[in-house]
Amino acid sequence: MECVENVRIFKPYITKLISHLCVHCRLDEDVNKDTVPGEKEEFGQFRKTVKEVLRDVIFIVGSLEVFGELYSNICKPNLSWNENEACLFVMHAVAPSIRTDESKLLQIAVPVLLSIPPDTHCAVRATTLDLIGELAEWIDNHHDVLDTVLQFILDGLKIQSVASHAAKAVQKVCQKCRKRMAPHFDGLLQIIQSADQLSVSNDAIVGLLKGAAEVLSQLPHDKVTAGMRGLVQLHITPLLELTQNSHLGKAGTSGDPALWMDRLTALFRSCSIELDGGQSHPCQPVVEELWPVIAAVVTTYQSDDKIMERTCRCVRFILRCLGKYSYSILTSLVEIAIQVYKSHHQSCFLYLGSIIVDEFGSDPNYQQGLLFMLVAFAEVSFPLLSGPTGLIDNPDTIDDIFRLCSRFIQHVPEKFLGSPVAPASIQCALAASVLDHRDAFSSVMKFFRDLLTLGKNDDLIEADKMQRQAVVSSFIAEHGPTIMDRLVQGFVTLPTYMLTESTEVLWTFLEQSKEVCMSLLQSSIEKLPVRSTMKVTAEQQTTIILSVSRCDDVNKLYPVVKDLARLYR
């Protein structure tokens, strides 16, 4: 009841606010008819802020009410183009809040919006395209207008200044109407094939590829292969030309391999094929055709960190898309990753290794090969990190090598613990456990938590649980004092926003062996150096230790650790 009363009180003010914002959002009337002002310009940033404000307050007035009033305005005669565009802009801002089952106003308004004259100012056409994109979910529920919508968008793609807006509208329609767009996939492929000639921005092309991949995912499997091949071939040809000539153009242009890798990433990231038991993945043959080209990119540009990072990201989503069906490229992928990492130490290959372990680590057929990969990576990584400034200079390597080790612990702990990598990784983790770098620190703490929870997998039979628990007990006996010393040292020296991760390690420690943990904690706190300006009493230390022992939930432990940190800062 109170909420209803508040809405009644504020509604007239919000109505007036929206009316004024509609005026302030108007473009200059002298803007060239064939020009669309850029969104990154100062006024474009202002309109972006206005859109955010409108979406925050529209519930007070009601999106349909505002949309209806503005639609009435644009139907008035003698309205200037910039007044019309400003109304459309506000309509586009509130459109996502309109119910998808609304069947009166939009049934009238959408056909009118789609019938704007050919000589309309390009800014009006661009904003109308943005509005149609925001109504994509409504269009999915009212698919009788889909063909007209697609024709309107296609007309927009032919106009240079609005082509990017049209491409974004295609993306949103594909995402929200993916099943209904399936019959239009061939037309969508033709649009993407000609996108670079239509002056569509790279961001918009990436959006088109995302939309196409979502539609592709709805096709019958026998058509997915051909569709994916058509999309991938657009990238194979330019990448082959670049690698054959060892050419590297300006960043963000067609001469930059990273641009093509980003597009492939968008494609595979958005493609999700549902498989029934025993079915092969329809994208597998396409990936097998693409892989030699990606391998050539890695070989040609292996010293370029940016291109390697984007290439690894692309391969990551290929692996995620195909899952176990990427086995046919696995051997070659691992060999190239090891070779390039040994030469150039780019940590993106370590991250890629963790994805490989995630996909194949549970399969005994691949475990020995994956262990070989881990050892090869570790032989380069740990010496790199052991130098005088190795930890400080290589936080990305710390982040990614311990992510890789954690994946091994999760999927093949016995192989990991029996390898020479285990003791080296534990020693390096202890050294890095007070490193002031958020991502690296987070991976190290995750590594310790995974080690301490080895025996807690409910899927294990009792004998295996007991065996793993014995390993954890041995690990605590050998390394527990040092781990606790480093945790406590981190509590009082690292930024407070990093304490959550280390507190979770302490909690895991408590769950495993509370009596041992409390004894080690007391010893570590007593070792803390006290500056002359500090007045930390034995009573305060005892209070902290008792508070820790009484915690029965990790959320209760966080404030206790912060209290400890405050005592010694």
Side-chain angles (χ1 to χ4, degrees):
M1 196 67 185
E2 183 181 349
C3 183
V4 173
E5 179 61 18
N6 286 338
V7 167
R8 187 190 66 77
I9 293 170
F10 283 99
K11 187 172 181 177
Y13 298 102
I14 300 302
T15 302
K16 189 174 291 186
L17 170 67
I18 292 172
S19 176
H20 287 311
L21 288 175
C22 196
V23 173
H24 288 301
C25 279
R26 288 178 192 167
L27 299 169
D28 289 338
E29 197 166 1
D30 58 356
V31 171
N32 188 288
K33 184 179 179 181
D34 297 322
T35 302
V36 178
E39 294 178 358
K40 294 183 180 179
E41 296 174 7
E42 186 176 352
F43 191 62
Q45 291 299 309
F46 166 72
R47 284 171 43 125
K48 183 179 178 181
T49 304
V50 167
K51 183 165 69 173
E52 291 170 356
V53 170
L54 287 168
R55 290 182 175 176
D56 284 341
V57 302
I58 194 61
F59 73 95
I60 297 174
V61 183
S63 53
L64 192 62
E65 183 177 329
V66 172
F67 194 97
E69 187 173 337
L70 292 169
Y71 174 69
S72 299
N73 286 346
I74 65 174
C75 291
K76 292 177 182 176
N78 303 320
L79 199 68
S80 67
W81 75 264
N82 62 330
E83 291 175 318
N84 189 354
E85 192 277 338
C87 289
L88 288 167
F89 175 80
V90 176
M91 290 163 71
H92 131 268
V94 304
S97 303
I98 297 176
R99 288 167 55 99
T100 57
D101 59 355
E102 201 288 319
S103 58
K104 294 182 180 178
L105 174 61
L106 288 180
Q107 287 278 35
I108 299 169
V110 170
V112 173
L113 293 170
L114 296 173
S115 61
I116 59 175
D119 61 345
T120 300
H121 196 291
C122 282
V124 174
R125 185 174 291 275
T127 306
T128 305
L129 284 162
D130 293 341
L131 171 55
I132 293 300
E134 295 295 354
L135 290 172
E137 197 167 354
W138 180 88
I139 292 168
D140 186 43
N141 275 15
H142 302 79
H143 53 90
D144 52 304
V145 300
L146 181 58
D147 287 342
T148 312
V149 166
L150 292 176
Q151 185 58 53
F152 178 75
I153 294 174
L154 186 60
D155 292 340
L157 284 166
K158 298 172 184 175
I159 304 171
Q160 182 174 342
S161 58
V162 303
S164 289
H165 293 265
K168 290 175 184 176
V170 171
Q171 178 192 355
K172 291 183 177 181
V173 170
C174 287
Q175 289 173 334
K176 300 297 184 182
C177 314
R178 57 176 73 91
K179 289 185 178 179
R180 302 192 190 282
M181 282 294 293
H184 300 278
F185 179 79
D186 290 339
L188 191 58
L189 179 58
Q190 290 176 6
I191 290 172
I192 295 170
Q193 287 171 335
S194 57
D196 282 310
Q197 286 72 49
L198 293 171
S199 300
V200 177
S201 70
N202 184 58
D203 286 347
I205 292 176
V206 167
L208 279 173
L209 288 165
K210 289 178 180 178
E214 296 210 30
V215 175
L216 183 72
S217 302
Q218 305 301 316
L219 296 180
H221 285 186
D222 58 335
K223 294 185 178 180
V224 169
T225 305
M228 180 60 86
R229 183 175 282 119
L231 291 168
V232 167
Q233 192 60 47
L234 298 172
H235 305 79
I236 287 179
T237 303
L239 283 172
L240 277 176
E241 291 177 1
L242 290 173
T243 54
Q244 287 167 0
N245 300 318
S246 299
H247 178 69
L248 180 58
K250 184 180 177 184
T253 67
S254 59
D256 179 10
L259 176 139
W260 301 102
M261 285 300 166
D262 287 347
R263 292 184 183 183
L264 284 168
T265 297
L267 182 57
F268 284 99
R269 186 176 191 174
S270 301
C271 182
S272 178
I273 308 293
E274 292 185 10
L275 299 174
D276 296 328
Q279 283 185 308
S280 60
H281 200 292
C283 295
Q284 183 181 347
V286 182
V287 168
E288 290 170 356
E289 295 164 12
L290 173 63
W291 172 246
V293 181
I294 295 178
V297 170
V298 175
T299 303
T300 305
Y301 301 102
Q302 59 184 275
S303 61
D304 190 305
D305 293 349
K306 182 193 76 171
I307 295 176
M308 289 303 96
E309 187 173 334
R310 309 283 258 283
T311 304
C312 285
R313 187 166 175 263
C314 176
V315 176
R316 166 193 170 191
F317 286 107
I318 289 174
L319 294 175
R320 292 303 195 197
C321 177
L322 265 65
K324 65 180 181 180
Y325 295 97
S326 56
Y327 65 86
S328 55
I329 69 169
L330 185 60
T331 301
S332 174
L333 169 58
V334 170
E335 288 174 353
I336 290 176
I338 292 172
Q339 174 193 335
V340 176
Y341 184 68
K342 283 182 175 179
S343 299
H344 300 285
H345 304 165
Q346 291 136 332
S347 72
C348 54
F349 288 99
L350 299 175
Y351 185 90
L352 187 56
S354 70
I355 303 298
I356 294 171
V357 174
D358 212 28
E359 293 295 337
F360 294 95
S362 299
D363 189 332
N365 295 319
Y366 298 100
Q367 289 173 359
Q368 197 58 41
L370 295 179
L371 184 61
F372 173 81
M373 176 188 73
L374 174 65
V375 171
F377 282 150
E379 286 174 349
V380 178
S381 301
F382 292 131
L384 182 69
L385 298 172
S386 64
T389 59
L391 296 174
I392 296 171
D393 294 342
N394 301 284
D396 290 340
T397 301
I398 298 170
D399 181 17
D400 291 324
I401 191 65
F402 282 105
R403 180 183 281 107
L404 174 58
C405 289
S406 287
R407 293 287 169 83
F408 258 91
I409 294 170
Q410 292 161 15
H411 293 284
V412 273
E414 289 80 8
K415 292 277 187 186
F416 176 79
L417 293 170
S419 75
V421 175
S425 62
I426 292 169
Q427 290 304 318
C428 186
L430 289 170
S433 58
V434 289
L435 183 68
D436 187 359
H437 187 281
R438 191 167 197 164
D439 292 338
F441 181 77
S442 177
S443 287
V444 170
M445 293 298 109
K446 177 72 165 59
F447 172 73
F448 280 135
R449 289 202 307 276
D450 287 338
L451 277 174
L452 289 167
T453 55
L454 261 179
K456 294 220 167 181
N457 189 337
D458 292 333
D459 296 331
L460 294 172
I461 61 173
E462 197 60 33
D464 287 343
K465 280 187 180 181
M466 295 291 289
Q467 184 180 1
R468 289 192 183 184
Q469 193 59 49
V471 171
V472 173
S473 298
S474 175
F475 170 73
I476 290 174
E478 183 177 355
H479 300 289
T482 311
I483 292 175
M484 188 62 73
D485 285 347
R486 302 296 276 177
L487 283 177
V488 171
Q489 185 182 346
F491 291 153
V492 301
T493 58
L494 292 173
T496 53
Y497 66 81
M498 293 172 65
L499 298 187
T500 300
E501 302 277 1
S502 47
T503 303
E504 288 173 359
V505 176
L506 177 59
W507 175 251
T508 307
F509 212 150
L510 282 164
E511 285 188 308
Q512 289 298 320
S513 181
K514 185 169 184 177
E515 186 177 340
V516 173
C517 180
M518 292 308 305
S519 174
L520 293 175
L521 178 63
Q522 181 170 355
S523 175
S524 296
I525 289 176
E526 289 171 353
K527 292 178 191 174
L528 285 173
V530 180
R531 296 196 304 270
S532 58
T533 54
M534 289 181 181
K535 293 183 179 179
V536 181
T537 65
E539 184 181 353
Q540 288 173 315
Q541 291 180 337
T542 302
T543 300
I544 291 291
I545 292 165
L546 286 174
S547 298
V548 170
S549 69
R550 290 170 184 153
C551 289
D552 56 6
D553 182 82
V554 67
N555 292 316
K556 295 177 182 178
L557 188 58
Y558 295 136
V560 179
V561 169
K562 289 181 180 178
D563 288 343
L564 172 64
R566 277 192 288 268
L567 279 179
Y568 287 88
R569 289 177 190 257

